[in-house]
Amino acid sequence: METSWSLHLLSEILSAFSTDDPDNLRNAVNRVTEAVDAEVGAIFGSDGVTCCIGLSPREGARLVELADERPAEVQIRSGTLHTCWATIGDEQLFVGRLGDAFDVEERSLLRAMARSIELSIGLLRAVSAERHARDKALHDATHDALTGLPNRRLVLEALNQALASEPQGAMRQVVLFIDIDRFKIVNDAHGHAAGDQLLINVAHQLRESVRGSDLVGRLSGDEFIVISQTATVGAATDLAQRIIQAIRRPIVVAGTELSHSASIGIAFAEAGQEAHALLENADIAMYQAKGRGKGHWAIFEESMRAEARQRLYLEGELRHAIENGEIESHYQPIYRLSDRRLVGFEALARWRHRQLGLLPPSAFIPQAESSEVIVHIDLEVLNQAAGAIARWQRIDGLADLRLSSNLSARTLNEARLQQRIAGILDSNGLDPGSLYLEITETMLVDDIQSTTKTINGLRDLGVRLAIDDFGTGYSSLLYLKRFPVGVLKIDRSFVDGLVSNPEDEMIAGAIISLAKALGLEVVAEGVETEEQRRIIERLGSDFGQGYLFGRPQGHLETLRLIEGYARSQRHHSHA
């Protein structure tokens, strides 16, 4: 056989190994058998046959048994094969021909072919490994490691491509921006492993809720996105509601049931809009949904943008206010109804803005509650009030003066809340028994696992709870008995209607009866008239709070009130 022809064959074998062809090894063996007019070709190792042409599976298995002997002839069903054997790394190349035996040149060529196959396999494996590594690196760069979903980079690329394509009929691109409500609280209360399991579950629920053509991605942290095409607003809101319902299903992680919800912002693409702008609109709408409570959706409207700017500005201003000492504690007195004795104060946050003057809670607390700013505000108000009450308790006759201070949901779930409150009490010299921390009844049962741990820690300090706005949520008697609750505060909405609405009087009476049965004290909030005071006292309320008794005032005004009250008490005792 001519040398040039041999080189041509070797070149063909090398070319048979294409990284895009999964059947390349079989193609190479075909070329080998054709080159020497053989009927049988195979590659095999100790583990079995890798590739085989012209043999049955049973005959192929027999080759493996004969590999050590390498006989010159092998008997198969169709006759006697003249054989040629050559080594390919850890495997062997076998070629068999029914006609003449292989001559020296053919055997030399077959060995060269075996070497070519060995080199080609090595090259193929190296190229495949490089391609696999490159594909993996690209996948890792464009997908979230925890959930396997496309990450922000890939989401923006896909969204830009979708926005650049021509819309089909009435179909429009729509983005759903999904944020898990109170996710940080889950992480703080149950650990990051539980948080990761929750995110993995959310990713699964999202995949199950959307169509195959929709894209689901994870942007960062607890933020997810769905990119879809829809012809109607109703179809988009139906999808949002379906997602909310799916995510709302509790999951059990390490024996703990986690309840969670999602807020969703919906934004429809406009002509010529870029991906980042559409995503920003959906993000703005999501914050609007959060403002409506947990588990809601909202559709972006242009007016929301101004509100978002105002929220961002206000949050920055609030951070500066905390740093600059602009948050103040104001004090509203609480009196015992039976003898008009001053028993304590509720501490309420006020913001002494450098340009706008004194701002009420309604001007900044809702925004503060959407971020960690509220934790700083709650603890700053408590710190100021604890120091004031401790000083006022040293005034003759006011040793039992007590303090009520509010905790938001974020503050209640602060990981180090027990230590921080203990530090405030210790640094101000206030007895824990003088402090009532006010929480809403909804907060009491919102995340019972983490709430129980936190409240038990507060109980260990000697601090008691006051349940604010009682009657507007869904407290269970079990929770009122289980936790160190000392006071129920009747919501002002019931007190407002005492004179004109018999139903409100019935509700207030029922709350007071419940409290008495459980051994709890009752404070009626929002008492503004003598008639309201008479009715609430007749119903059995222990204490009253409201404009009838005094408006919230700053430290100096409250000190003057206390000193005047102390003088009047001394006067009465001498009389």
Side-chain angles (χ1 to χ4, degrees), residues 41-58:
I43 294 177
F44 60 89
S46 58
D47 295 335
V49 177
T50 303
C51 175
C52 186
I53 296 171
L55 293 179
S56 68
R58 184 175 180 179

Side-chain angles (χ1 to χ4, degrees), residues 534-556:
R534 284 195 298 270
I535 294 172
I536 204 71
E537 185 177 355
R538 172 171 55 79
L539 292 174
S541 179
D542 301 289
F543 307 101
Q545 178 182 349
Y547 288 176
L548 178 65
F549 305 104
R551 293 173 178 267
Q553 298 184 95
H555 182 274
L556 292 177

Side-chain angles (χ1 to χ4, degrees), residues 146-421:
L146 179 66
T147 64
L149 294 176
N151 63 12
R152 177 180 285 271
R153 171 183 164 184
L154 187 56
V155 163
L156 287 172
E157 288 178 3
L159 187 53
N160 273 320
Q161 290 175 6
L163 293 173
S165 63
E166 289 293 326
Q168 302 296 316
M171 302 296 282
R172 299 170 64 192
Q173 294 292 337
V174 61
V175 164
L176 279 69
F177 195 111
I178 301 147
D179 182 89
I180 308 305
D181 298 322
R182 301 170 63 251
F183 177 71
K184 185 178 184 302
I185 292 174
V186 173
N187 260 350
D188 290 345
H190 306 288
H192 288 280
D196 287 349
Q197 284 301 310
L198 174 56
L199 293 175
I200 292 169
N201 179 72
V202 167
H204 173 74
Q205 296 292 358
L206 288 174
R207 289 191 192 99
E208 292 291 311
S209 300
V210 304
R211 300 170 304 184
S213 58
D214 297 335
L215 175 69
V216 178
R218 183 185 177 199
L219 297 176
S220 64
D222 61 336
E223 295 176 341
F224 294 82
I225 188 173
V226 171
I227 302 173
S228 183
Q229 269 199 348
T230 182
T232 67
V233 171
T237 57
D238 286 346
L239 174 58
Q241 193 58 43
R242 193 160 65 245
I243 289 171
I244 287 170
Q245 294 297 335
I247 291 177
R248 186 172 286 159
R249 300 186 193 113
I251 63 169
V252 177
V253 176
T256 299
E257 184 175 272
L258 300 181
S259 298
H260 48 289
S261 60
S263 297
I264 300 179
I266 304 171
F268 290 89
E270 303 294 339
Q273 193 170 36
E274 294 185 355
H276 69 87
L278 181 57
L279 202 61
E280 181 181 282
N281 290 350
D283 189 11
I284 290 171
M286 183 274 294
Y287 275 101
Q288 192 78 11
K290 275 192 177 296
R292 300 174 184 174
K294 295 183 301 179
H296 285 77
W297 53 263
I299 299 175
F300 174 78
E301 298 174 3
E302 195 58 42
S303 60
M304 294 178 182
R305 190 176 300 281
E307 294 178 27
R309 292 195 189 101
Q310 178 62 23
R311 281 198 307 269
L312 191 61
Y313 169 77
L314 186 59
E315 184 174 329
E317 286 285 283
L318 276 170
R319 293 187 187 280
H320 288 307
I322 293 166
E323 293 169 2
N324 298 333
E326 296 173 14
I327 300 301
E328 296 181 2
S329 179
H330 280 220
Y331 306 89
Q332 185 168 36
I334 302 171
Y335 284 86
R336 190 160 58 205
L337 293 176
S338 60
D339 57 6
R340 293 294 186 94
R341 180 177 177 81
L342 178 66
V343 296
F345 292 90
E346 179 180 354
L348 299 163
R350 295 292 186 269
W351 179 5
R352 192 166 295 280
H353 195 281
R354 53 193 178 279
Q355 278 95 33
L356 302 177
L358 192 65
L359 299 180
S362 58
F364 62 94
I365 291 297
Q367 170 61 27
E369 286 180 332
S370 67
S371 70
E372 295 304 305
V373 172
I374 190 62
V375 178
H376 299 289
I377 291 176
D378 283 348
L379 295 177
E380 175 60 25
V381 168
L382 175 58
N383 185 49
Q384 291 180 26
I389 292 292
R391 289 190 296 274
W392 296 338
Q393 285 177 340
R394 292 194 285 271
I395 297 174
D396 189 30
L398 296 178
D400 294 331
L401 204 63
R402 67 194 196 187
L403 168 67
S404 287
S405 192
N406 294 279
L407 293 185
S408 69
R410 283 183 181 270
T411 308
L412 183 63
N413 286 280
E414 172 69 17
R416 298 181 60 253
L417 182 64
Q418 180 182 355
Q419 296 94 315
R420 297 181 75 172
I421 289 180

